[in-house]
Amino acid sequence: MPLGEIPGDKSDSRYCGVETQFNDDMPQLLALNINGGFDFVVASLMDPAYRPSLMDNDSSRSGVLPFAGSDLVLSPLQWSSHVVGKISSWIDLDSEDEILRKGSEIALKQEVAWASHLSLQACLLPTPKGESCANYARCVNQILQDLNNNMQLWLRIPLEKSDDDAICGSSDNLGGGQIDSWELWNSFRLLCEHHSQLSIALDVLSSLPSANSLGRWFGESVRAAIIHTNAFLTNARGYPCLSKRHQKLITAFFNHSIQIVVSGKAVHNLPVGSSELADNHTDNHVDGLPIHPLRSYLDYVGYLYQRLGPLPEQERFELGYRDFLQSPLQPLMDNLEAQTYETFEKDTVKYIQYQRAICKALLDRIPDEKASSVTTVLMVVGAGRGPLVRASLQAAEETGRKLRVYAVEKNPNAVVTLHSLVKLEGWEDIVTIVSSDMRCWDAPEKADILVSELLGSFGDNELSPECLDGAQRFLKQEGISIPSSYTSFIQPVTAAKLFNDVKSHKDLVHFETAYVVKLHRVARLAPCQPVFTFTHPEYSNKKNNQRYKKLKFEIPSDTGSAMVHGFAGYFDATLYKDVHLGIEPSTATPNMFSWFPIFFPLRTPVCLQPGSPLEVHLWRSCGATKVWYEWCVTSPIASAIHNCNGRSYWVGL
Amino acid sequence: MPLGEIPGDKSDSRYCGVETQFNDDMPQLLALNINGGFDFVVASLMDPAYRPSLMDNDSSRSGVLPFAGSDLVLSPLQWSSHVVGKISSWIDLDSEDEILRKGSEIALKQEVAWASHLSLQACLLPTPKGESCANYARCVNQILQDLNNNMQLWLRIPLEKSDDDAICGSSDNLGGGQIDSWELWNSFRLLCEHHSQLSIALDVLSSLPSANSLGRWFGESVRAAIIHTNAFLTNARGYPCLSKRHQKLITAFFNHSIQIVVSGKAVHNLPVGSSELADNHTDNHVDGLPIHPLRSYLDYVGYLYQRLGPLPEQERFELGYRDFLQSPLQPLMDNLEAQTYETFEKDTVKYIQYQRAICKALLDRIPDEKASSVTTVLMVVGAGRGPLVRASLQAAEETGRKLRVYAVEKNPNAVVTLHSLVKLEGWEDIVTIVSSDMRCWDAPEKADILVSELLGSFGDNELSPECLDGAQRFLKQEGISIPSSYTSFIQPVTAAKLFNDVKSHKDLVHFETAYVVKLHRVARLAPCQPVFTFTHPEYSNKKNNQRYKKLKFEIPSDTGSAMVHGFAGYFDATLYKDVHLGIEPSTATPNMFSWFPIFFPLRTPVCLQPGSPLEVHLWRSCGATKVWYEWCVTSPIASAIHNCNGRSYWVGL
């Protein structure tokens, strides 16, 4: 049964599995473990003693099936929902022994084919052995080409691989005599071209690598974490528990929809029938059935799961958007729909920040003694359905300043709603509605304050600079723009899921597009760095909205090697003086949901070795009818320049 | 005028250019240099003092053209055949100075556009300055997208770049305080995605890097070599000459269709009017015109050119095949055409080797005393139009042994010719013609000797193993197969031209196909290593034609970094005992032309740093209806596995 019910969590991490010994009585094996409280078993499908015959060339035709069981012993539903097939761990496709190598290939293909016949959801592939994994990867890659779409292959990878085991690919030692098992995975998946049905089952043992090293896995396709009983500590009452670091890791697994599998023998001797945390489960036990020997471990995992607590409302709202690539809005070329306005207007945090900024600007501009005599001209450019008009009027009321408002909006549909709002609120004397593009409006007077919300996830990517350049004509020389400046930021990320989604389109265009996306299964490899800054108003005669920035990122040395699939982008805007608004993680405005980050993919992921910096270049280019970004990497190795001349992705003027 | 006429050489390297100072009288400049013996000038199109205005935002619309000359001063033919446009050398797109950077971009785009308007064949781009070349490359990449197809951009790269200059991209020093200018090029072209209109003009100075370092350029798209006058030595009579190493390099340039450009001031003071090597040219001088100050350098270059001598017949024959990708034959699935037989039968060297092998086998098998009593049964499997039948009969005659020959051929068209040959030569009593596939022929008796020529460029790639497995049934237990074994070989190569040709198809299939190709513009980065070996006859019951090989290549340390675009493949066959036949470069059979090498491309070229080995894996896989190769790289970084399941390229059984 599931570990618990957490409101909002519908992910697979509710289900907990158990790794079992081979047992040719599958119904019994399953009953034992399901009755014992587990949701699924990770079970060998083939007797470990079986070896396919190599001598008899006809074995593939006349040979018997590799094990005694029949598919009829379980129902199709039982097979597919309760069994993960464990591929024989003796197989070694990179052995120096050619006979073993060939036997391994036959066994691997036979077992996966059988698992596929049973419609299992996943097979667990043994950890690569030996110095190389190329032949193993070649064989798995062949299998993946024709694999039933519903089946995943979980490659078993230990979080830490000891020095004794040889590993595949480049083998830079990390400090402390450990070999980086992530590199093993990285070689394997590169050989298999990031195949979307190849994923990871992590072996969690008693010692853990550094937090930065662990962090990389959250950008990878990890489906399961196999926790060994000897990774557990013993609490004061003799029951299993986990170290703080392990607890934090398991919690992170839950948050990333990674399923837990308990493995190994019970190493805590508990009085039979007692189960400290699971008293409430006792009624569920079928009479006469013994308690599962790993029950206390399962109960502890369940305790950690239930401790998560319900998802906050914002996260629940964003759940469906996690790692889902969206094309950025084209608000200049397209008119937004009512639904889009509706969503953004609900972001009260954002409008509170605007109201604070407008208040400060009004107070700075109009001393108390002139509050009743001077009227401030405030123009909302891009007024939409009026939320900034409301915020402005509330600021005027709060500060006791007099206001004359122009609400300029190019979308004629939004203007309809604006008129109705003004009438409803009785603002007719204060607010003038202008149905026009701010870039060509001929204003009847100049403004003291220009208020706009034209920012995209990457700051300038919805052409705020170009729009405000156009609107600047009707701002007084010493007038204020809210926002007064904004800066974009990027950081390199591992994001195997996003990379695969981009790749699935099989074209260049999608690899040269920036996407708006709620980043979740992502490893942030280095702190953000600022990219482009725009300031408003800007009266310099050398004014130009083209930009070029070169950045150098250093990955923390205890991360190990890492894969960069692209860059996460954010912005931070100074609305007025100390009032800011933004999504850059280290300074993000809390509880604001109007912007997800942006993602710039790389056509070829870049592998970083420890100590070698990542050098990135970004350009913002402007043409007669469009604005676009180009980007590339020059170190450790030069990539192609992405989106040359805006051929794939651009924002229309 | 051309440097000379070499029979068979129709390449551009006959033409020699000269780099000139800016002169706004282009007709005079051209007359002076063409009359002086050069074929073209490399000339600035814009006054070096000119700087595009940055302050005036409207300059692009109202500004005057950047220099005084008009396109009318020369005829279109003069412009296109005699002028290479030299882009202003002051431009620096990666300067820290933003004004200089933006001015450089405007100037670069203006000058290339003007050169394109003049239909010039090439522009010479200045060497990248500064620590980075990314912005320069971004701008050139933008230009390349819309560039007239007939124009090349030659990026000027010094063969050696001194430590004083900063360079772009990673900057591992090579021994001796030199920076590797090849890395500069490599970054630039990766940023521009190997664009086929981006090529190289090499600056040749007085010192040269190591031979291995130089060798890399012959796999790149080098169009011109600019030899500076101060790279010349002075001979005993005061005339310019070049060091032995320089001479060898220039000769290699000629062999690779690279044009020479002479640059710099005359640094050898010769008596006016004298020209040691060019006495024969004196008549060509127009009266009153002074001899060109660089004439003696041109004459020396002409002397080196003429010293090349005529091309050997085989090379002349192969000229049209150089670096031209061909799909390998499918001799099992397709029947060869008469023309193909015709070509291969002309390869007398090959048949001489076969005859030698058959002689030795006959002598070993039949002692002199039995020569007249015992008849040897020899079967030619895959007899084609009969060349091996002839070689066998000649061997019998040479050794005085008696022979009975079966000529087995599956192509019914070739069988027609075989019958006519046998009749013509009067071989009816000795030769039996069998029109059948050797894999299913029911032989009336067993053979002493089985002779075949089923080898492809990569040895087993035309399925000789599978065919001979089928034929082995009718070989006596102690019988001889000629060939008795064969081995394939590979080596990593730089081959920008081949890579680009593969890339131009814009699909996966072409990147996962092995090609037969006369390798010419290729840098061989390491000695060959053996891959797969097949031995005939093979009676082992574990017999299997699947193969797997892992290879590790070390690039010589004085090469520097290098780019691997793929692998050149070869074979060597042991016909009988010490008689071999092959194309592996270190042991190749001289003057044999039946096989060009094979080329296995890499989808993503791999950049090797000095000291880091290249690890490669190759598989030969066999299915029910086809045989195919898969290949990948696992170090320095894992590539995709190419041609999984033979999805792109296979040989039909």
Side-chain angles (χ1 to χ4, degrees):
Chain A
M1 70 217 60
L3 294 170
E5 280 297 336
I6 292 180
D9 184 14
K10 291 277 165 270
S11 87
D12 285 345
S13 55
R14 284 175 297 159
Y15 303 108
C16 187
V18 60
E19 182 176 9
T20 64
Q21 297 290 312
F22 175 73
N23 180 340
D24 66 3
D25 186 347
M26 185 61 86
Q28 188 198 26
L29 182 78
L30 197 62
L32 215 73
N33 287 287
I34 298 293
N35 292 333
F38 289 98
D39 299 297
F40 63 94
V41 297
V42 179
S44 299
L45 301 176
M46 193 181 276
D47 189 326
Y50 167 84
R51 291 292 184 281
S53 167
L54 294 172
M55 295 307 149
D56 175 7
N57 274 322
D58 292 327
S59 68
S60 59
R61 268 165 277 166
S62 63
V64 291
L65 264 177
F67 52 97
S70 134
D71 54 8
L72 294 172
V73 298
L74 296 182
S75 72
L77 186 68
Q78 282 179 308
W79 279 119
S80 65
S81 36
H82 297 304
V83 181
V84 166
K86 185 178 158 189
I87 304 301
S88 293
S89 55
W90 62 263
I91 70 164
D92 182 2
L93 278 112
D94 291 279
S95 168
E96 293 295 314
D97 174 354
E98 191 179 341
I99 304 291
L100 173 55
R101 221 162 59 211
K102 291 189 174 169
S104 298
E105 180 163 351
I106 295 171
L108 175 61
K109 288 183 173 172
Q110 270 182 347
E111 293 188 42
V112 175
W114 177 249
S116 180
H117 173 72
L118 299 173
S119 299
L120 302 194
Q121 288 184 52
C123 280
L124 180 66
L125 304 179
T127 306
K129 303 173 181 68
E131 283 190 18
S132 168
C133 64
N135 196 43
Y136 189 4
R138 192 259 319 159
C139 187
V140 168
N141 192 43
Q142 287 181 340
I143 292 170
L144 284 166
Q145 306 307 308
D146 301 316
L147 193 65
N148 165 357
N149 275 331
N150 299 317
M151 188 187 279
Q152 284 282 325
L153 299 183
W154 297 351
L155 186 65
R156 186 170 195 157
I157 301 281
L159 269 182
E160 284 204 334
K161 203 163 196 299
S162 74
D163 229 356
D164 309 334
D165 312 322
I167 73 147
C168 161
S170 74
S171 56
D172 281 29
N173 274 19
L174 297 177
Q178 292 296 331
I179 284 169
D180 187 357
S181 60
W182 179 87
E183 292 191 11
L184 178 68
W185 159 250
N186 191 45
S187 287
F188 204 101
R189 68 97 168 269
L190 284 172
L191 291 166
C192 296
E193 299 183 60
H194 277 78
H195 198 287
S196 60
Q197 287 171 267
L198 177 66
S199 47
I200 305 157
L202 285 174
D203 263 321
V204 181
L205 305 171
S206 55
S207 78
L208 294 178
S210 74
N212 281 322
S213 170
L214 280 175
R216 294 174 298 176
W217 294 109
F218 294 103
E220 304 285 0
S221 173
V222 180
R223 298 301 181 111
I226 305 171
I227 308 182
H228 292 254
T229 49
N230 52 23
F232 284 81
L233 306 174
T234 309
N235 74 8
R237 281 183 275 180
Y239 283 88
C241 64
L242 287 169
S243 74
K244 289 276 178 219
R245 289 198 66 209
H246 278 82
Q247 290 180 37
K248 203 175 153 196
L249 180 65
I250 305 301
T251 302
F253 286 153
F254 286 142
N255 282 329
H256 285 79
S257 309
I258 294 166
Q259 297 186 303
I260 304 295
V261 174
V262 177
S263 171
K265 291 195 169 138
V267 289
H268 296 73
N269 287 318
L270 303 176
V272 173
S274 82
S275 178
E276 183 187 50
L277 290 152
D279 285 343
N280 54 332
H281 289 298
T282 319
D283 299 342
N284 298 336
H285 291 173
V286 176
D287 284 353
L289 270 183
I291 285 176
H292 194 288
L294 299 178
R295 181 74 203 204
S296 57
Y297 302 93
L298 170 64
D299 288 337
Y300 186 77
V301 172
Y303 154 72
L304 291 182
Y305 181 79
Q306 288 157 30
R307 209 179 57 175
L308 287 176
L311 277 180
E313 192 190 358
Q314 187 180 341
E315 274 187 51
R316 220 182 295 182
F317 160 77
E318 291 172 354
L319 215 51
Y321 294 98
R322 280 183 180 175
D323 301 316
F324 178 76
L325 298 171
Q326 298 173 268
S327 293
L329 294 173
Q330 287 267 10
L332 267 183
M333 290 171 62
D334 306 335
N335 284 323
L336 300 185
E337 293 166 13
Q339 204 181 330
T340 313
Y341 286 116
E342 187 81 16
T343 305
F344 289 133
E345 285 167 15
K346 282 188 180 146
D347 196 349
T348 49
V349 171
K350 181 173 74 173
Y351 295 109
I352 288 168
Q353 290 301 88
Y354 267 97
Q355 191 176 327
R356 286 183 56 210
I358 298 165
C359 283
K360 291 203 174 190
L362 285 173
L363 292 175
D364 276 0
R365 240 180 133 73
I366 311 293
D368 283 344
E369 59 275 20
K370 292 190 179 172
S372 58
S373 60
V374 179
T375 299
T376 300
V377 178
L378 183 148
M379 293 178 178
V380 178
V381 287
R385 306 196 309 185
L388 285 179
V389 173
R390 185 185 300 277
S392 302
L393 293 176
Q394 283 170 352
E397 196 177 317
E398 188 180 333
T399 56
R401 265 55 179 175
K402 293 175 69 179
L403 219 53
R404 183 158 63 249
V405 174
Y406 291 86
V408 186
E409 174 54 48
K410 73 158 183 58
N411 178 357
N413 309 306
V415 168
V416 170
T417 315
L418 260 184
H419 275 288
S420 132
L421 175 78
V422 166
K423 198 169 166 191
L424 191 74
E425 299 280 358
W427 293 339
E428 288 96 336
D429 295 341
I430 312 167
V431 178
T432 307
I433 296 169
V434 180
S435 180
S436 171
D437 186 317
M438 73 183 82
R439 291 171 296 174
C440 46
W441 178 46
D442 193 12
E445 61 178 324
K446 292 210 164 184
D448 296 284
I449 303 176
L450 207 59
V451 183
S452 65
E453 50 165 340
L454 305 165
L455 297 171
S457 300
F458 198 54
D460 58 80
N461 63 307
E462 292 183 9
L463 308 193
S464 177
E466 284 70 18
C467 291
L468 293 182
D469 283 355
Q472 186 171 303
R473 290 172 294 121
F474 43 84
L475 182 62
K476 289 180 184 164
Q477 192 65 39
E478 71 293 1
I480 293 168
S481 169
I482 294 176
S484 62
S485 76
Y486 36 87
T487 299
S488 51
F489 293 82
I490 62 165
Q491 68 184 162
V493 294
T494 305
K497 198 267 183 190
L498 300 184
F499 178 79
N500 257 330
D501 287 352
V502 174
K503 185 164 75 83
S504 68
H505 292 282
K506 297 184 179 172
D507 62 20
L508 180 65
V509 168
H510 284 83
F511 269 118
E512 298 193 332
T513 297
Y515 301 89
V516 167
V517 55
K518 171 68 188 165
L519 300 175
H520 187 68
R521 289 190 157 235
V522 156
R524 293 172 171 85
L525 298 170
C528 284
Q529 291 189 33
V531 188
F532 306 134
T533 295
F534 290 86
T535 302
H536 299 286
E538 173 60 81
Y539 296 108
S540 156
N541 67 345
K542 279 183 273 178
K543 182 178 168 56
N544 189 316
N545 292 329
Q546 311 224 47
R547 294 286 187 282
Y548 168 44
K549 187 77 171 196
K550 178 167 77 173
L551 296 171
K552 194 183 236 178
F553 291 94
E554 307 269 357
I555 310 294
S557 60
D558 64 347
T559 305
S561 301
M563 188 60 114
V564 182
H565 289 108
F567 300 90
Y570 315 93
F571 79 95
D572 189 77
T574 297
L575 293 181
Y576 183 69
K577 290 191 171 167
D578 64 338
V579 184
H580 86 109
L581 193 76
I583 59 169
E584 192 279 305
S586 68
T587 60
T589 310
N591 302 315
M592 192 174 64
F593 59 79
S594 291
W595 293 276
F596 292 149
I598 205 163
F599 175 66
F600 290 90
L602 284 173
R603 288 159 54 180
T604 304
V606 172
C607 191
L608 288 183
Q609 301 297 322
S612 77
L614 176 70
E615 200 169 82
V616 191
H617 303 254
L618 271 108
W619 292 266
R620 185 184 201 268
S621 298
C622 307
T625 59
K626 67 183 187 180
V627 172
W628 71 94
Y629 303 102
E630 300 189 22
W631 62 97
C632 72
V633 165
T634 51
S635 180
I637 181 120
S639 73
I641 292 173
H642 290 58
N643 196 33
C644 178
N645 283 328
R647 64 182 165 198
S648 299
Y649 157 63
W650 43 269
V651 189
L653 278 168
Chain B
M1 70 216 60
L3 294 169
E5 282 295 338
I6 292 180
D9 183 14
K10 292 278 165 267
S11 87
D12 286 343
S13 55
R14 285 173 296 158
Y15 303 109
C16 186
V18 60
E19 182 176 9
T20 65
Q21 297 290 312
F22 175 72
N23 181 341
D24 66 4
D25 186 347
M26 186 60 87
Q28 189 199 25
L29 181 80
L30 196 63
L32 214 75
N33 287 287
I34 299 293
N35 292 335
F38 289 98
D39 297 297
F40 63 94
V41 297
V42 179
S44 299
L45 301 177
M46 194 180 276
D47 189 327
Y50 168 84
R51 293 290 183 284
S53 167
L54 294 172
M55 295 305 150
D56 175 8
N57 274 323
D58 291 326
S59 67
S60 59
R61 270 165 274 166
S62 63
V64 291
L65 265 176
F67 52 96
S70 134
D71 56 6
L72 294 170
V73 300
L74 295 182
S75 72
L77 188 66
Q78 282 177 308
W79 280 118
S80 67
S81 37
H82 297 305
V83 180
V84 167
K86 185 178 157 189
I87 304 300
S88 294
S89 54
W90 62 265
I91 70 164
D92 181 3
L93 277 113
D94 291 279
S95 168
E96 293 294 316
D97 174 355
E98 191 179 340
I99 304 290
L100 173 55
R101 220 161 60 209
K102 291 190 173 167
S104 297
E105 179 163 351
I106 295 171
L108 174 60
K109 288 184 172 170
Q110 270 181 347
E111 293 188 44
V112 175
W114 177 249
S116 179
H117 173 72
L118 299 173
S119 299
L120 303 193
Q121 289 185 51
C123 280
L124 180 66
L125 303 179
T127 306
K129 302 173 182 69
E131 282 190 17
S132 168
C133 65
N135 196 42
Y136 189 5
R138 192 259 320 158
C139 186
V140 168
N141 193 42
Q142 287 182 340
I143 292 169
L144 284 165
Q145 307 307 309
D146 300 315
L147 194 65
N148 164 358
N149 275 332
N150 299 316
M151 188 187 279
Q152 284 281 325
L153 299 184
W154 295 352
L155 186 65
R156 186 168 195 159
I157 301 281
L159 267 183
E160 284 203 334
K161 204 164 193 301
S162 73
D163 229 355
D164 309 333
D165 313 321
I167 73 147
C168 162
S170 75
S171 54
D172 282 29
N173 275 19
L174 297 177
Q178 292 295 332
I179 285 170
D180 187 356
S181 60
W182 179 87
E183 292 191 12
L184 178 68
W185 158 250
N186 190 45
S187 287
F188 204 102
R189 68 95 170 272
L190 284 172
L191 290 167
C192 296
E193 298 183 60
H194 278 78
H195 199 285
S196 61
Q197 287 171 267
L198 178 66
S199 47
I200 306 157
L202 285 174
D203 264 321
V204 181
L205 305 171
S206 55
S207 78
L208 293 178
S210 74
N212 280 323
S213 170
L214 280 175
R216 293 174 299 175
W217 294 108
F218 295 103
E220 304 285 359
S221 172
V222 180
R223 297 301 180 110
I226 305 172
I227 308 181
H228 291 252
T229 49
N230 52 23
F232 285 81
L233 306 173
T234 307
N235 74 6
R237 281 183 273 181
Y239 284 89
C241 65
L242 288 168
S243 74
K244 289 274 178 221
R245 288 198 65 210
H246 278 81
Q247 290 179 38
K248 204 176 154 194
L249 179 64
I250 305 299
T251 302
F253 286 153
F254 287 141
N255 282 330
H256 285 79
S257 308
I258 294 166
Q259 297 186 302
I260 304 295
V261 174
V262 177
S263 172
K265 291 197 170 138
V267 290
H268 295 74
N269 288 317
L270 303 175
V272 174
S274 84
S275 178
E276 185 186 48
L277 291 151
D279 286 344
N280 54 334
H281 289 298
T282 319
D283 298 344
N284 296 337
H285 292 173
V286 176
D287 283 355
L289 269 182
I291 285 176
H292 194 288
L294 299 177
R295 181 74 203 205
S296 56
Y297 302 93
L298 171 64
D299 288 338
Y300 185 78
V301 172
Y303 154 74
L304 291 181
Y305 181 79
Q306 288 156 32
R307 209 179 57 175
L308 288 176
L311 277 179
E313 191 190 358
Q314 186 179 341
E315 275 187 49
R316 221 181 295 183
F317 159 77
E318 291 171 352
L319 215 50
Y321 295 98
R322 280 184 181 174
D323 300 316
F324 177 77
L325 299 171
Q326 298 173 269
S327 293
L329 293 174
Q330 287 267 12
L332 266 183
M333 288 171 62
D334 306 334
N335 283 323
L336 300 186
E337 292 166 13
Q339 204 181 328
T340 312
Y341 287 116
E342 187 81 16
T343 304
F344 290 132
E345 286 168 12
K346 284 188 179 145
D347 196 349
T348 49
V349 172
K350 180 174 74 174
Y351 295 108
I352 288 168
Q353 291 299 90
Y354 267 97
Q355 191 176 325
R356 287 183 54 211
I358 298 164
C359 283
K360 291 204 172 190
L362 285 172
L363 291 174
D364 276 0
R365 239 180 134 74
I366 312 292
D368 283 344
E369 58 275 22
K370 294 192 177 170
S372 57
S373 60
V374 179
T375 298
T376 300
V377 178
L378 183 148
M379 294 178 179
V380 177
V381 286
R385 307 195 309 186
L388 285 179
V389 173
R390 185 185 299 276
S392 303
L393 293 175
Q394 282 170 353
E397 196 177 320
E398 189 180 331
T399 55
R401 267 53 180 177
K402 291 176 71 180
L403 219 53
R404 183 157 60 251
V405 174
Y406 292 86
V408 186
E409 174 54 46
K410 74 158 181 58
N411 178 357
N413 308 306
V415 168
V416 171
T417 315
L418 260 183
H419 275 287
S420 133
L421 175 78
V422 166
K423 197 170 168 193
L424 190 76
E425 298 282 357
W427 293 340
E428 289 95 336
D429 296 340
I430 313 168
V431 177
T432 307
I433 296 170
V434 180
S435 181
S436 170
D437 186 319
M438 70 182 85
R439 291 171 294 175
C440 48
W441 177 47
D442 192 14
E445 62 179 322
K446 289 210 167 188
D448 297 282
I449 302 177
L450 207 59
V451 183
S452 65
E453 49 166 340
L454 305 166
L455 297 172
S457 298
F458 198 56
D460 58 79
N461 63 306
E462 293 183 8
L463 308 193
S464 178
E466 284 72 18
C467 292
L468 293 182
D469 282 355
Q472 185 171 303
R473 291 172 292 122
F474 43 83
L475 182 62
K476 289 180 184 164
Q477 191 65 37
E478 71 293 1
I480 293 168
S481 169
I482 294 177
S484 63
S485 76
Y486 35 89
T487 299
S488 50
F489 294 82
I490 61 164
Q491 67 183 163
V493 294
T494 304
K497 199 265 183 194
L498 301 184
F499 178 79
N500 256 329
D501 287 354
V502 174
K503 184 165 75 85
S504 68
H505 292 281
K506 298 182 180 173
D507 63 20
L508 181 65
V509 168
H510 284 83
F511 268 117
E512 298 193 331
T513 297
Y515 300 89
V516 167
V517 55
K518 171 66 188 165
L519 299 174
H520 188 66
R521 290 189 155 235
V522 156
R524 293 171 170 85
L525 298 170
C528 284
Q529 292 188 33
V531 189
F532 305 134
T533 295
F534 290 86
T535 303
H536 298 285
E538 172 61 80
Y539 297 108
S540 156
N541 66 347
K542 280 184 274 175
K543 180 177 169 56
N544 188 316
N545 292 328
Q546 310 225 45
R547 293 288 187 279
Y548 167 45
K549 187 77 172 195
K550 177 167 76 171
L551 295 170
K552 195 184 236 178
F553 291 95
E554 308 268 357
I555 309 294
S557 59
D558 63 347
T559 304
S561 301
M563 189 60 118
V564 182
H565 289 109
F567 300 90
Y570 315 93
F571 79 95
D572 189 78
T574 298
L575 293 182
Y576 183 69
K577 291 193 169 167
D578 64 337
V579 184
H580 87 108
L581 192 77
I583 59 169
E584 193 278 306
S586 68
T587 59
T589 310
N591 302 316
M592 192 173 66
F593 59 79
S594 291
W595 294 275
F596 292 149
I598 206 163
F599 174 66
F600 290 91
L602 284 174
R603 288 160 54 180
T604 303
V606 173
C607 191
L608 288 182
Q609 303 297 321
S612 76
L614 176 70
E615 201 171 81
V616 191
H617 303 254
L618 272 108
W619 292 267
R620 185 183 200 268
S621 298
C622 307
T625 59
K626 66 182 187 181
V627 171
W628 70 95
Y629 302 103
E630 300 188 24
W631 61 98
C632 72
V633 165
T634 50
S635 179
I637 180 122
S639 72
I641 292 172
H642 290 58
N643 196 34
C644 177
N645 284 330
R647 64 182 166 198
S648 299
Y649 158 64
W650 43 270
V651 190
L653 278 166

